[in-house]
Amino acid sequence: MFPEYDVIVVGAGHAGCEAAAAAANLGSKVLLVTMNMQTIAQMSCNPAMGGIAKGQIVREIDAMGGYSGIVTDLSMIQFRMLNLSKGPAMWSPRAQNDRMLFAATWREMLEKTPNVDFYQDMVRSLIIRDGRACGVVTGLGHEIPSKSVVITSGTFLNGIIHIGEKQFGGGRVAEKAATGITEQLVEHGFESDRLKTGTPPRIDGRSLDYSKMEEQKGDEEIVGFSYTDTKKPTEQRSCWITYTSQKVHDILKTGFDRSPMYAGRIEGVGPRYCPSIEDKINRFAERERHQLFVEPEGWNTVEIYVNGFSTSLPEEVQYAALRQVPGFENVRIFRPGYAIEYDFFPPTQLNHTLETKLISNLFFAGQINGTTGYEEAACQGLMAGINAHQKAKELEPVILKRSDAYIGVLIDDLISKGTEEPYRMFTSRAEFRTILRQDNADLRLTELSYRLGLASQDRMDKVISKREGVEKIKDILKEISLDPTETDGFLAENNSAPLPQKQKAIQVLLRPNISLEGMMAGLPKIKEALTGFTEAIIEQADIQIKYNVYIEKEKELVKRMNQLEDLLIPESFDYNKITSLSNEALQKFKKIKPRTLGQASRISGVNPSDVQILMVYMGR
């Protein structure tokens, strides 16, 4: 009934969709197996993509030829560029999306992708022969052969849903959990554990009084996520902000004795940076109120997502507390909030390709690796799909370094440090964030994607044009001289001191409060010289010129770090021979088996002296 596939992807969430698209676009014959064809690319939690650091990831996925950026642009109902008051390394795009349109667009794009087949069934076990994944066995008993397997199970592995004192099996509300895979992998020597995540109640927007809330509109200019010419919306929907109060907190506390989290019914650890409302009240007892974001779920629905009110308290407590929130006095609930706990496999059991160390040709991506968030899952799916294809076709693996992309930071963090709580990406996790900006992901990654066969010639041509345009602008600004008479008014308007003498335009641009866009608006000579360049090229030239000193410093740090990354540790290296290592370092090295000295230096609990000792022994 089934042919042998190059890649089987188990699960069709954000990780699974990107994995299937990447492997198929590279030329692999792919089967995407999902328990429900109607929930492909479901936004299980909030209907939004991007945000701090996450927006950078989506742009990197797009530069690598993934679909998330395109789908987000085609289904957005609001766009905002966050952190514009800070430097460009912190700028982060975020979109509010139409939940149903997002999923429908993803499915449509996958169905139009050659080499992708679909099958609806639960995968209950893997076919493993001689330490290698060779296919899957489904709930209906079908054995489907393949050269590699990517598991993107999300929250479905032995998932349990909690609402107050009620609990029942499920991977999402109204969807059954997946069983069999955890038990089989544990038998093969894998270590598994439990994590928890939660979601807020969904409510009827017709029951809200928006006059009591603060309106949050989208940006006038919609930049979007994809570097392709995707169609952007011509109008946007507003979000709204309101707040909890001490009265809300007091009502919520009445349900704490029936909370699955505090009663000990939940074993898994929840996300530190996206806590439930009861967790916020407990951890931040001194705060009298917490911010809530009232987010529409689409263009043509009244359903509202209450961002910031994630909870697993009893339904009647959720309802009573919400009615005390300004604007929510007459609220009607569509679905209560709930918590879900599920199996994951500590990611130190993986290589940087996301292939497991214990079973070859088996790849993990997404929440099975302990991450939380659509963007974190999608980028892992992309890299797992690429490397599953490479392995199936006996090609070289593709690994992004920490200096290449936030994707590289995320995967290296997981593999080197592991995680004991749901991992979420932040700009602070990246030591080279001045280089890893959202505006230059295309310049950083498209060439690699093009060489692999994911990025089209058109994408590559755009990158070349952008790079050449930036250099031309730099050359033009180095040539143009500005004298005091033509700049005094402009500089005064921008709170900048007058020029003492003639100065090159590029030097004027280095001043605080001066931007290239501002110079074009206030200095006719500059506007005339730069007419014809696109906004993206002008912005990129502005950033590269103004932040050149910081960018060059980071590039120097990258060079120094890469010296350690280039020192490979043989897989057969015997750490037991090094008697002078600390006990913790010895245990971590033996467990994680770092690929390079650079990775060894980033393992939690490993000291610089341990790395120096390791370097000496490797030299011998």
Side-chain angles (χ1 to χ4, degrees):
M1 180 175 173
F2 294 94
E4 183 184 40
Y5 286 90
D6 295 310
V7 180
I8 292 177
V9 178
V10 180
H14 299 264
C17 289
E18 286 289 4
N25 284 325
L26 287 171
S28 277
K29 185 67 177 171
V30 177
L31 178 66
L32 181 58
V33 185
T34 174
M35 291 166 66
N36 187 350
M37 287 282 290
Q38 307 311 312
T39 56
I40 289 173
Q42 178 90 307
M43 293 181 123
S44 306
C45 204
N46 65 319
M49 288 289 282
I52 308 300
K54 292 166 171 277
Q56 283 86 327
I57 289 176
V58 177
R59 293 210 118 195
E60 289 175 354
I61 292 170
D62 186 74
M64 286 292 292
Y67 288 177
S68 288
I70 296 171
V71 173
T72 301
D73 285 355
L74 293 175
S75 61
M76 71 170 68
I77 62 175
Q78 187 195 88
F79 178 85
R80 293 176 68 218
M81 185 68 78
L82 307 181
N83 278 346
L84 282 175
S85 61
K86 300 180 181 178
M90 304 297 286
W91 299 350
S92 303
R94 184 184 189 272
Q96 204 67 34
N97 288 88
D98 183 310
R99 183 189 299 279
M100 290 180 283
L101 182 58
F102 182 93
T105 305
W106 244 118
R107 177 165 172 169
E108 183 181 341
M109 288 189 69
L110 284 172
E111 288 182 356
K112 289 179 178 178
T113 301
N115 297 325
V116 177
D117 289 347
F118 302 85
Y119 189 65
Q120 179 172 296
D121 201 350
M122 183 181 83
V123 170
R124 72 181 189 207
S125 63
L126 305 171
I127 302 170
I128 300 170
R129 298 193 188 101
D130 302 320
R132 185 171 68 87
C134 303
V136 302
V137 180
T138 74
L140 292 174
H142 299 297
E143 292 191 8
I144 310 175
S146 68
K147 294 174 182 174
S148 61
V149 176
V150 182
I151 300 181
T152 66
S153 49
T155 59
F156 280 77
L157 289 183
N158 294 316
I160 297 176
I161 292 172
H162 298 266
I163 305 175
E165 294 173 301
K166 302 168 187 174
Q167 65 179 57
F168 43 93
R172 261 192 303 254
V173 73
E175 295 182 55
K176 65 180 182 178
T179 57
I181 290 177
T182 298
E183 294 75 11
Q184 182 191 22
L185 291 175
V186 168
E187 285 180 9
H188 278 81
F190 283 85
E191 175 192 348
S192 75
D193 208 337
R194 302 282 278 174
L195 287 177
K196 181 216 92 162
T197 189
T199 191
R202 276 29 169 228
I203 61 177
D204 187 340
R206 296 169 299 183
S207 66
L208 300 182
D209 182 355
Y210 293 101
S211 68
K212 296 182 179 180
M213 307 180 205
E214 174 189 336
E215 187 174 10
Q216 189 179 49
K217 294 183 177 181
D219 293 349
E220 286 188 18
E221 181 191 4
I222 299 177
V223 177
F225 286 86
S226 180
Y227 292 98
T228 60
D229 297 323
T230 51
K231 185 180 179 182
K232 311 294 192 302
T234 54
E235 58 181 302
Q236 301 184 63
R237 287 200 66 179
S238 291
C239 295
W240 304 81
I241 297 172
T242 186
Y243 296 87
T244 63
S245 63
Q246 193 59 54
K247 194 169 184 179
V248 173
H249 300 176
D250 291 340
I251 293 172
L252 290 169
K253 287 175 184 176
T254 65
F256 278 16
D257 61 331
R258 290 177 287 159
S259 163
M261 186 168 64
Y262 295 116
R265 289 189 293 276
I266 293 181
E267 299 171 11
V269 180
R272 178 189 301 264
Y273 302 104
C274 190
S276 64
I277 188 67
E278 51 263 41
D279 206 14
K280 288 180 189 176
I281 294 169
N282 205 33
R283 281 166 50 190
F284 308 106
E286 74 283 358
R287 295 194 184 176
E288 294 182 359
R289 67 177 193 170
H290 293 283
Q291 198 170 47
L292 301 178
F293 295 91
V294 181
E295 302 175 344
E297 297 236 338
W299 292 112
N300 304 308
T301 178
V302 297
E303 191 168 356
I304 295 291
Y305 180 91
V306 191
N307 195 338
F309 205 88
S310 176
T311 181
S312 57
L313 289 170
E315 295 168 76
E316 65 273 17
V317 177
Q318 296 184 34
Y319 180 65
L322 278 173
R323 287 176 70 90
Q324 299 302 319
V325 173
F328 282 60
E329 292 82 2
N330 299 304
V331 69
R332 290 190 296 273
I333 294 179
F334 281 166
R335 289 180 280 165
Y338 64 90
I340 181 166
E341 75 179 312
Y342 53 94
D343 292 339
F344 87 107
F345 291 82
T348 51
Q349 300 170 100
L350 301 175
N351 295 311
H352 276 81
T353 57
L354 298 180
E355 182 181 24
T356 68
K357 294 174 181 176
L358 288 175
I359 298 175
S360 65
N361 296 47
L362 175 63
F363 298 79
F364 291 169
Q367 284 175 287
I368 192 172
N369 291 336
T371 60
T372 180
Y374 307 144
E375 304 83 1
E376 288 88 343
C379 72
Q380 290 174 72
L382 172 81
M383 299 311 295
I386 290 171
N387 282 306
H389 163 84
Q390 298 293 99
K391 192 70 185 282
K393 301 295 185 181
E394 299 182 352
L395 299 170
E396 286 296 309
V398 178
I399 297 170
L400 295 177
K401 296 178 181 177
R402 296 181 73 88
S403 54
D404 293 331
Y406 272 91
I407 299 172
V409 174
L410 182 146
I411 292 174
D412 184 66
D413 275 356
L414 293 175
I415 278 50
S416 302
K417 301 174 183 176
T419 187
E420 295 178 353
E421 61 186 40
Y423 177 102
R424 183 180 181 182
M425 179 51 72
F426 295 101
T427 51
S428 58
R429 295 192 191 273
E431 59 269 53
F432 304 120
R433 54 186 174 273
T434 307
I435 296 174
L436 307 181
R437 305 184 309 276
Q438 57 83 30
D439 60 85
N440 71 349
D442 55 340
L443 299 177
R444 289 186 276 119
L445 298 172
T446 305
E447 192 172 341
L448 168 62
S449 178
Y450 177 72
R451 289 201 309 269
L452 286 171
L454 282 173
S456 64
Q457 184 65 54
D458 180 58
R459 274 183 179 262
M460 193 65 232
D461 290 343
K462 282 184 179 179
V463 168
I464 293 169
S465 175
K466 183 176 180 179
R467 189 175 287 139
E468 290 176 348
V470 169
E471 294 307 314
K472 282 180 185 175
I473 288 177
K474 289 179 184 178
D475 290 339
I476 289 169
L477 296 179
K478 287 174 185 175
E479 291 298 317
I480 294 178
S481 291
L482 297 172
D483 61 51
T485 56
E486 62 186 331
T487 60
D488 279 356
F490 166 73
L491 292 174
E493 286 174 12
N494 289 277
N495 299 316
S496 192
L499 294 181
Q501 59 192 29
K502 270 193 174 184
Q503 203 171 79
K504 296 296 184 184
I506 199 163
Q507 290 301 120
V508 175
L509 180 55
L510 293 176
R511 291 179 166 212
N513 304 329
I514 303 300
S515 68
L516 194 50
E517 185 181 18
M519 289 177 74
M520 289 178 68
L523 300 172
K525 186 187 289 186
I526 302 298
K527 182 177 182 179
E528 183 182 348
L530 300 186
T531 298
F533 290 102
T534 65
E535 284 185 25
I537 291 174
I538 290 167
E539 180 190 75
Q540 187 60 214
D542 190 6
I543 293 169
Q544 287 191 22
I545 292 167
K546 290 185 79 70
Y547 293 88
N548 181 59
V549 173
Y550 304 102
I551 291 169
E552 290 305 316
K553 278 184 180 178
E554 277 201 3
K555 286 181 178 177
E556 189 58 40
L557 287 173
V558 169
K559 283 181 186 176
R560 284 160 56 187
M561 187 185 83
N562 284 343
Q563 290 174 351
L564 286 179
E565 296 299 331
D566 292 338
L567 294 173
L568 298 176
I569 302 173
E571 284 188 32
S572 58
F573 192 86
D574 186 1
Y575 295 100
N576 289 316
K577 290 181 179 178
I578 313 177
T579 56
S580 46
L581 283 174
S582 67
N583 285 333
E584 185 174 5
L586 179 62
Q587 290 172 6
K588 295 283 179 69
F589 287 157
K590 288 166 68 176
K591 179 180 179 180
I592 296 173
K593 295 180 180 175
R595 196 174 57 89
T596 68
L597 270 177
Q599 185 191 353
S601 70
R602 293 188 295 275
I603 296 173
S604 298
V606 172
N607 298 316
S609 59
D610 294 315
V611 178
Q612 288 174 341
I613 292 166
L614 182 57
M615 192 185 301
V616 170
Y617 272 80
M618 281 180 61
R620 289 180 184 173

